[in-house]
């Protein structure tokens, strides 16, 4: 604080920052990346532990033995499904009622903003079926959910069978203190979204659905189940939800406890957890898992039907049965026992899960990195922007722009007096401010067009060009995106010719502050997205200036633009999944991802698309503008 | 003895008062057996203490100190959730509900002369279409008292309090059983075994005390103590999947002898639907007599077993009633009652929310009014202007609304409405609220569990299918008076909706230490410097030789060949 009041020392610090700016920035960037990669190594990762007392000390004995029953339910379900071609609602209702549940159905319909080519659907209508087990020990104030999403491509019939067998077993027990809802949704995530919105009696995405007839109080936790075969080699657990939201870590710990107890093989992101953390191999494998999780979380795509529950503060995760070529296989009884144990322990809960972490990264199933330890990685990257801002603001070449902007009202004499350098020209100052308005407005307008035009103009595009609606959306998206690159020319056309060459610094300062603020806010809510964007956008933002090797800089900027980050992320994801892509495949996947991103924003309220279109893309355009400043 | 009973009641309430309770203090709204007379809101009630702080346990003693006369008191508790829609006509009960009616002057007085001390007991067993069995015990004790009726005002007060959750796990059956003349030694009360009753899917017990007139002019009165216990045995849980029931299977006891003090001791089995269509259900031993009456608007037939009739018990020394399903009960949807309800909190997040109550009238052509009483704790700040009542897509204007706003930490919201439900319709009553931030000492020890909102109470005159004759209170079985008939075309029903669990914005109580440390550090570091900056007067000074740091810096600079500072 003494620095603020002592002008001499302040100037000394400013000079230091200014002189060492480039090495400091580079050092900070490298430190950020290195810190991130070090997250998978033992001093930074910790072993997970159960925080919730109600679930920790008490042991439960699993008695589920309905494997044969589950298989017969699954067979019947699959047969009925094949016969009717859709969800066999009547059969489900009858079966659920016969095992003693209160059964209700909910019909829903949704017209997507444009045809979804990945899932081949446009006008979607379906029926959700759910049965409620009323707990004898409480008055329907709290409930747990076991949900099985049934989509057109994933039949998930073994999961339905197991769910029904579990329901039959649970119904005969007297210890339930929370109602249990067994939910079968059609059209996987769309059905879940419709059911959740109807359960909470809200409408956030324009879904049309019939109101629910039966409710069971506040939902405390949910588990989504996906099984495609009646024997599994391992269970994969997915935690990332919509917009990168994560469930409480205790829920994952609970799952892991029962994995260990039942001797089940459990994976995270499809990767087994390394046994040896002391050597380098374990952590290196951890880095891969961590990167997969970061990519998955940054995409904001719900990694399973559980992802939509998190918005309603329902802790949820998805369990996927994997059947690979491993020798040892588990049958449905083992999976059922793990689920029974989890539900019995959740039944013990006195409060909502709140004791453990809500913000964490997972390098393995039993290891986690808490928010306090991963935040510095993003902090270092943002420090680069901070240093650049401070250098721009106390740089003598920039005429102490910061001072000028601040002391414009005080008068040039005083401003010159405090800054101690040559008095600035009032004319320059005025033009500097005016020159900022046009690029800012234009870049924001392009962002808005990017957000609005593709969906709004799909019919026009489909009429005038030989493309389908879905293609039209993606192509419009790319066209608007590319058209934004012509921004420098349009701003120069708007600007008067007397724009001084120094006002690009003002623009860069504004762009830097804008970027730093956005990245900081994103990092706080979704670390993975914030970190990925920071890691890619920061170097370009720091290096951009109209002088110097322009083509090199332009290439760097284009390579670190949000769209290129998405493309790179896709390649990295496939690489880590050990299924590398060819360029053509990658491009196809990229186009599909663009369409999915827009679609998810409209159907589930995912925020990645508006964030990129309205926030980061205009900001990136400002840097592009700085680069081509005349 | 009268005083003894009342004391007992008050003591009982004391036991049942755990944790923070949110008492309501409504105006009189429903005298017990004259249910549908909402008095005009402008009427003044002397002695009404609605403004004062009235926790649940303090209600009755406080009023007695006012030299008012406790006329009627009821206390009921229930556990579990009983869907009226699936049970076909059993009313759901609140978790714990205290109803004290204070009446001065002529009120609801029984009009016939009862005998001296007397006990009537009965057990009604109702097999449900789902295969479950509901059993309802009723005990009525009457005794003379020295109490004289006083002439004077006819103002009435009613205190109503609900605890949506009983925090401590107490056994409530023993004190209740002690009020019975035969305790659990003989008669129907032999069946009251706690371990069986509490393993049911629903149970509710109640005590109600009231005076009845002993003569036509009602000069001298008797007290009547009525105890009710209803349980629902679940075929899936209690019956281990089997759906044949017997007394032994339900209660692990059989009936051996009537209570010697009882004037009447009977077991009724509902055989209405089963005796007609092809014998789906068989009752063993075969009943000697049957009884027909209109209950809940439908004609019912009961098989009657009178324990005082020696033929019933003497054959085998014990009576073990058995119900055998000839054909397994179908899994088709059970018939829906004319009135049922559902209540929930809508919305997400910790800022706003909406309380919604759905009222279903499934009667094909008759509309009927219901009285909805809602008491909402003060920490849900209701926005009354958002109160909307819609049925069939149109706005439904209630014919009577009484709203008493909450006072923070003093009294809850009270909202009372008389709503006409159109025939075969769903009426949605919704009101928005904001969640208040409590003081940190006001949170319960388990703040993340959420806070309970007590059930709303629904009183209605439901149209009956069959014209009923007015009940002769003394002659007809006790269970008939559970749902009194006001006129021949409708019967009275009181429903309790489910309690709600609402999460309030909760600070992280697990890290007060961190918060205190951080706050203190920030204050200590920043406050001093900012204060210094703000209060210091700046003046330009010629640089002097400088301090130690400056000299050191200059030394280094000289060594590097850079001009000094």
């Amino acid at each position: 604080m003494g620095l603020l009041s002592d002008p001499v020392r302040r100037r000394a610090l400013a000079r230091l920052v200014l002189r060492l700016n480039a090495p400091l920035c580079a050092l900070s960037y490298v430190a950020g990346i290195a810190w991130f990669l070090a997250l998978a190594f033992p001093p930074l990762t910790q072993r997970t532990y159960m925080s919730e007392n109600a679930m920790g000390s008490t042991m439960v004995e699993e008695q589920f033995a309905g494997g044969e029953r589950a298989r017969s339910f699954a067979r019947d379900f699959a047969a009925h499904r094949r016969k009717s071609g859709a969800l066999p609602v009547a059969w489900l209702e009858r079966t659920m009622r016969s095992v003693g549940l209160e059964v209700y159905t909910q019909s829903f319909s949704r017209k997507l903003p444009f045809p979804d080519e990945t899932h081949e659907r446009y006008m979607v209508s379906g029926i959700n079926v759910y049965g409620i087990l009323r707990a004898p020990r409480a008055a329907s104030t709290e409930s747990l959910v076991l949900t099985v999403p049934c989509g057109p491509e994933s039949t998930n019939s073994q999961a339905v069978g197991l769910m029904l067998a579990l329901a039959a077993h649970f119904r005969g027990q007297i210890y339930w203190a929370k109602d249990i809802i067994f939910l079968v949704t059609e059209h996987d995530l769309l059905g879940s979204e419709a059911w959740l919105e109807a359960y909470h009696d809200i409408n956030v995405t324009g879904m049309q659905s019939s109101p629910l007839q039966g409710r069971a109080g506040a939902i405390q936790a949910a588990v989504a189940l996906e099984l495609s075969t009646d024997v599994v080699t391992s269970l994969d657990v997915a935690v990332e939800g919509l917009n990168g939201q994560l469930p409480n870590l205790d829920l994952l710990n609970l799952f892991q406890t029962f994995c260990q107890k039942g001797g089940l093989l459990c994976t995270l992101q499809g990767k087994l957890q390394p046994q040896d953390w002391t050597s380098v191999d374990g952590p290196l494998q951890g880095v891969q898992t961590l990167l997969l999780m970061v990519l998955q979380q940054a995409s904001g795509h719900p990694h399973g039907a559980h992802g939509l529950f998190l918005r309603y503060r329902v802790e949820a995760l998805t369990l996927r049965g994997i059947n690979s070529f491993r020798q040892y296989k588990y049958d449905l009884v083992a999976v059922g026992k793990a689920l029974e144990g989890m539900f019995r322990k959740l039944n013990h809960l006195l409060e909502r899960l709140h004791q453990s972490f809500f913000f964490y990264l997972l390098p393995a199933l039993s290891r986690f990195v808490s928010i306090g330890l991963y935040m510095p990685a993003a902090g270092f990257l943002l420090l680069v922007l901070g240093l650049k801002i401070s250098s721009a603001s106390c740089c003598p070449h920039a005429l102490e722009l910061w001072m000028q902007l601040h002391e414009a009202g005080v008068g040039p004499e005083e401003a010159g007096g405090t800054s101690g350098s040559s008095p600035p020209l009032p004319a320059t100052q005025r033009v500097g401010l005016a020159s900022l308005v046009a690029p800012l407005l234009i870049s924001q307008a392009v962002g808005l067009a990017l957000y609005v035009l593709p969906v709004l103009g799909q019919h026009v595009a489909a009429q005038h060009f030989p493309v389908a609606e879905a293609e039209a959306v993606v192509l419009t998206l790319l066209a608007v995106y590319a058209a934004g690159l012509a921004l420098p020319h349009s701003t120069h056309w708007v600007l008067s010719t007397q724009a001084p060459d120094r006002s690009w610094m003002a623009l860069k300062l504004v762009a830097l502050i804008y970027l730093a603020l956005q990245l900081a806010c994103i990092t706080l809510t979704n670390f993975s997205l914030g970190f990925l964007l920071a890691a890619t956008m920061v170097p370009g933002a720091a290096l951009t200036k109209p002088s110097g090797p322009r083509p090199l800089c332009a290439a760097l900027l284009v390579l670190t633009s949000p769209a290129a980050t998405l493309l790179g992320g896709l390649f990295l994801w496939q690489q880590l999944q050990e299924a590398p892509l060819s360029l053509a495949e990658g491009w196809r996947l990229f186009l599909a991802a663009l369409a999915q991103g827009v679609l998810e924003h409209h159907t589930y309220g995912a925020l990645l698309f508006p964030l990129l279109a309205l926030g980061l893309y205009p900001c990136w355009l400002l840097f592009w503008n700085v680069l081509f400043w005349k | 003895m009268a005083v003894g009973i009342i004391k007992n009641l008050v003591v009982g309430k004391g036991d049942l008062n755990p944790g923070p309770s949110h008492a309501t203090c409504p105006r009189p709204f429903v005298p017990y057996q004259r249910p549908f007379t909402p008095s005009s809101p402008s009427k003044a009630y002397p002695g009404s203490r609605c403004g004062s702080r009235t926790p649940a346990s303090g209600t009755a003693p406080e009023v007695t100190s006012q030299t008012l006369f406790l006329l009627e008191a009821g206390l009921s508790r229930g556990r579990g959730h009983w869907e009226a829609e699936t049970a076909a006509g059993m009313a759901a009960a609140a978790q714990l509900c205290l109803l004290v009616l204070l009446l001065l002057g002529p009120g609801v007085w029984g009009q016939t002369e009862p005998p001296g001390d007397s006990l009537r007991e009965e057990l009604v067993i109702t097999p449900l279409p789902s295969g479950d069995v509901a059993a309802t015990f009723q005990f009525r004790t009457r005794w003379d008292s020295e109490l004289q009726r006083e002439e004077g005002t006819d103002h009435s007060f009613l205190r109503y309090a609900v605890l949506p959750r009983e925090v401590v796990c107490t056994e409530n059956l023993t004190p209740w059983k002690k009020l019975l003349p035969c305790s659990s030694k003989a008669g129907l009360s032999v069946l009251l075994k706690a371990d069986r009753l509490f393993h049911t899917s629903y149970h509710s017990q109640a005590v109600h005390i009231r005076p009845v007139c002993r003569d036509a002019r009602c000069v001298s009165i008797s007290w009547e103590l009525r105890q009710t216990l209803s349980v629902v045995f679940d075929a899936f849980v209690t019956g281990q999947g089997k759906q044949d029931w017997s007394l032994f299977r339900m209660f692990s006891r059989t009936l051996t002898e009537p209570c010697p003090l009882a004037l009447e001791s009977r077991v009724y089995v509902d055989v209405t639907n089963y005796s007609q269509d092809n014998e789906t259900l068989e009752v063993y031993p075969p009943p000697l007599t049957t009884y027909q009456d209109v209950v809940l608007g439908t004609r019912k037939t009961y098989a009657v077993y009178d324990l005082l009739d020696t033929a019933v018990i003497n054959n085998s020394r014990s009576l073990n009633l058995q119900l055998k399903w000839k054909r397994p009960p179908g899994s088709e949807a059970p018939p829906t009652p004319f009135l049922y309800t559902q209540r929930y909190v809508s919305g997400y997040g910790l800022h706003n929310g909406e309380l919604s109550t759905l009222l279903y009238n499934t009667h094909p052509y008759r509309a009927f009014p219901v009285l909805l009483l809602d008491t909402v704790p003060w920490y849900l700040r209701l926005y009354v202007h958002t109160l909307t009542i819609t049925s069939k897509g149109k706005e439904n204007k209630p014919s009577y609304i009484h709203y008493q706003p909450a006072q923070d930490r003093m009294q809850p919201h009270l909202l009372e409405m008389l709503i006409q439900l159109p025939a075969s319709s769903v009426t949605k009553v919704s009101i928005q609220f904001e969640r208040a931030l409590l003081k940190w000492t006001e949170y319960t020890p388990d703040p993340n569990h959420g806070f309970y909102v007590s059930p709303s109470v629904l009183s209605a005159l439901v149209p009956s299918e069959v014209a009923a004759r007015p009940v002769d209170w003394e002659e007809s079985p006790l269970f008939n008076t559970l749902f009194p008939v006001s006129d021949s075309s409708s019967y009275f029903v009181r429903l309790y909706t489910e309690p709600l669990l609402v999460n309030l914005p909760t600070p992280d109580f697990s890290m007060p230490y961190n918060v205190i440390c951080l706050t203190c550090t920030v204050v200590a570091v920043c406050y001093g410097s900012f204060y210094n900056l703000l209060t210091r007067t700046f003046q330009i000074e010629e640089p002097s030789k400088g301090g130690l740091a400056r000299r050191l810096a200059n030394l280094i600079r000289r060594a590097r060949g850079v001009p000094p500072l």
Side-chain angles (χ1 to χ4, degrees), chain A residues 1 5 97-100 134 136-142 171 174 200-202 213-215 350-352 354, chain B residues 79-81 83 199 234 236-237 331 342 344 346-348 428 446-449 452 499 501 503 529 533 538:
Chain A
M1 287 296 152
S5 50
R97 200 163 281 135
S98 75
V99 300
R134 295 282 177 201
R137 313 241 154 223
S140 278
T141 48
E142 297 166 275
R171 185 64 175 85
I174 52 164
H200 295 94
D201 199 12
I202 49 165
Q213 298 289 314
R215 283 186 171 77
L350 296 176
E351 305 180 58
R352 267 172 199 276
H354 68 284
Chain B
R79 193 212 63 209
H81 175 85
E83 285 278 336
H199 272 193
D234 190 338
F236 281 92
V237 174
S331 57
Q342 193 189 2
Y344 57 89
S346 38
Y348 64 94
K428 183 177 178 186
D446 52 351
N448 283 290
H449 179 70
Y452 282 91
L501 192 58
N503 273 85
S529 335
L533 259 179
F538 290 95

Side-chain angles (χ1 to χ4, degrees), chain B residues 401-421:
Chain B
I401 287 192
H402 171 70
Y403 174 67
Q404 191 180 321
Q407 289 170 16
D408 280 7
R409 299 170 182 83
M410 301 281 276
Q411 110 182 353
H413 301 269
L414 175 76
L415 186 61
E416 196 180 345
M417 288 174 284
L418 185 63
I419 305 167
Q420 186 80 13
L421 303 184

Side-chain angles (χ1 to χ4, degrees), chain A residues 109-117 121-124 190 205-207 451-460 462 468-474 594-606 609:
Chain A
S109 67
R110 175 82 164 91
K111 187 181 167 218
L112 300 181
F114 57 91
D116 180 359
E117 295 202 323
R121 57 191 181 189
Y122 183 41
M123 308 275 285
V124 182
L190 279 176
T205 59
M207 184 80 71
Y451 177 66
V452 174
L453 275 186
V455 175
L456 211 62
Q458 51 168 321
H459 297 298
V460 182
E469 269 99 346
E471 285 172 337
V473 170
V474 176
L594 285 182
Q596 281 301 306
V598 179
L599 210 57
E600 261 167 30
H601 170 59
H602 287 281
T603 45
Y604 314 126
F609 172 55

Side-chain angles (χ1 to χ4, degrees), chain A residues 313-334:
Chain A
R313 218 196 146 191
V314 176
E315 309 310 325
L317 46 77
T318 295
L319 304 184
R320 280 198 187 91
I322 308 284
N323 195 8
S324 63
F325 301 107
R326 217 175 277 275
Q327 204 164 32
Y328 195 80
K329 299 197 189 264
Y330 305 92
D331 61 349
L332 290 181
V333 176

